[in-house]
Structure formats: C-alpha cells, structure tokens
Amino acid sequence: MIVMTTCLWVNHYTAGSVTFTAWVDGRPAPLDQADAAERTRRIRDTMTIPT
C-alpha cells in the first residue's frame, strides 16, 4: 500500500503542488500534515523569486 500526502500553494504569480509518497507495511511512515507543510514551504520558497 502507498500513502500519499499532497500540499498545494497558490498566489498571484505561481501555483504548485508537492506529493510525498510513503510505503506502508514495514517501510517509513508517511509525513504528518505539519511536516509536509514545512517541507512544501521550503520547496515553494526555493522556487519563487521575490518581486
């Protein structure tokens, strides 16, 4: 079984989504919402350029 956590962001200039996947059944546990949001924030901040 695969568990997916998806985070989205949208502003006036960009839209994006990040999906984190994790195997269950002896594999690493999926991210909780707070961890996924923090990782998505870092990705978003890296990808966007302030105007």
Side-chain angles (χ1 to χ4, degrees):
M1 176 171 70
I2 297 176
V3 176
M4 294 189 288
T5 303
T6 302
C7 289
L8 309 164
W9 78 85
V10 177
N11 63 26
H12 294 285
Y13 307 104
T14 62
S17 67
V18 180
T19 301
F20 302 96
T21 59
W23 292 93
V24 180
D25 302 330
R27 304 289 180 140
L31 296 174
D32 66 21
Q33 290 179 350
D35 289 338
E38 178 57 34
R39 290 181 187 204
T40 299
R41 257 185 236 105
R42 287 184 293 199
I43 292 167
R44 179 202 62 201
D45 292 349
T46 301
M47 293 180 58
T48 56
I49 300 170
T51 57

